Amino acid sequence: MIHISIQKAGEEGGSTPAVYTLEDLKAAVSLFFEVLKSKFTLESTILYGVIFMGVVFCGTGFFLFQKQQRIVASGVPVQGRVVELVETVDSGGHMPSKGSKPRKLFAPRFAYQWNGGDYTHLSNHKSTRVIYPLDSTVEMFINPRNPGELLVNDFSHRWLLPVVFSLVGGVVIGAGFLFKILFRACFEK
């Protein structure tokens, strides 16, 4: 017979520890899993999983928004100029099918000055059409401690990702609760 001794943390050595047999441990584990099965049904597992995914999306949107707000709050506004349109070809991450053509994407390269230094920044935002023509100017916020960190002050650079992530998260959370309502309406009669 196997005995397991358990003693509470911080107890003095003078007390007698509780002794449990392997059968006691098996019974406790069995009881634990019975409680889990009763609490986490298929419905609740799917519901909590979907809601968790929605919260992750909303959290990502909030994180992106906070990061951009920090740059705006502590940043210095400067005028940048589009000096180049970098063209890339996108095949959609796979081999193009018959009749489909790879798309040309354009990303602007901005030039700006800060404290007598000249800097350039290639935008992460690519588009199938030219959003900023060559030599156009745009307002940017730069981090004065790290002039390479900047935020272009337009909708797509500043708001698009936080809004999309937050909306997707909200829709996913709403879908989770809708699933709960529909599941109960269909299976609990």
Side-chain angles (χ1 to χ4, degrees):
M1 177 179 278
I2 298 173
H3 292 282
I4 300 170
S5 294
I6 299 175
Q7 185 172 351
K8 290 183 183 177
E11 283 187 354
E12 297 298 323
S15 64
T16 307
V19 177
Y20 296 95
T21 64
L22 186 58
E23 287 76 28
D24 294 333
L25 184 61
K26 285 180 183 177
V29 170
S30 176
L31 179 64
F32 173 74
F33 282 113
E34 285 299 318
V35 169
L36 275 182
K37 283 197 307 191
S38 70
K39 297 288 182 191
F40 292 103
T41 61
L42 175 64
E43 170 197 0
S44 65
T45 303
I46 292 173
L47 174 66
Y48 294 139
V50 168
I51 289 176
F52 176 75
M53 287 176 23
V55 168
V56 167
F57 272 95
C58 285
T60 302
F62 182 73
F63 170 77
L64 292 170
F65 174 75
Q66 287 293 95
K67 180 181 176 190
Q68 293 175 357
Q69 288 304 102
R70 264 195 318 273
I71 294 173
V72 171
S74 66
V76 176
V78 297
Q79 290 295 316
R81 188 173 56 86
V82 178
V83 293
E84 180 184 10
L85 293 172
V86 177
E87 183 179 318
T88 58
V89 177
D90 177 33
S91 62
H94 51 77
M95 296 298 294
S97 60
K98 287 184 180 179
S100 69
K101 296 185 340 185
R103 301 179 308 159
K104 289 182 182 180
L105 299 175
F106 301 96
R109 184 180 307 275
F110 302 105
Y112 58 98
Q113 293 181 338
W114 172 250
N115 278 349
D118 293 328
Y119 297 91
T120 62
H121 172 76
L122 179 61
S123 175
N124 293 339
H125 294 257
K126 298 175 182 176
S127 175
T128 55
R129 61 184 179 85
V130 175
I131 296 174
Y132 296 107
L134 280 173
D135 292 326
S136 61
T137 59
V138 59
E139 181 183 27
M140 299 185 277
F141 294 99
I142 64 164
N143 181 347
R145 291 183 295 266
N146 179 10
E149 182 182 13
L150 64 89
L151 176 65
V152 178
N153 192 19
D154 69 355
F155 178 79
S156 68
H157 286 85
R158 206 167 155 194
W159 300 105
L160 185 63
L161 285 177
V163 167
V164 167
F165 272 97
S166 298
L167 284 176
V168 168
V171 167
V172 169
I173 290 171
F177 284 112
L178 181 63
F179 168 79
K180 180 179 182 174
I181 292 167
L182 292 175
F183 189 89
R184 285 194 175 162
C186 291
F187 296 110
E188 293 181 7
K189 292 186 178 182

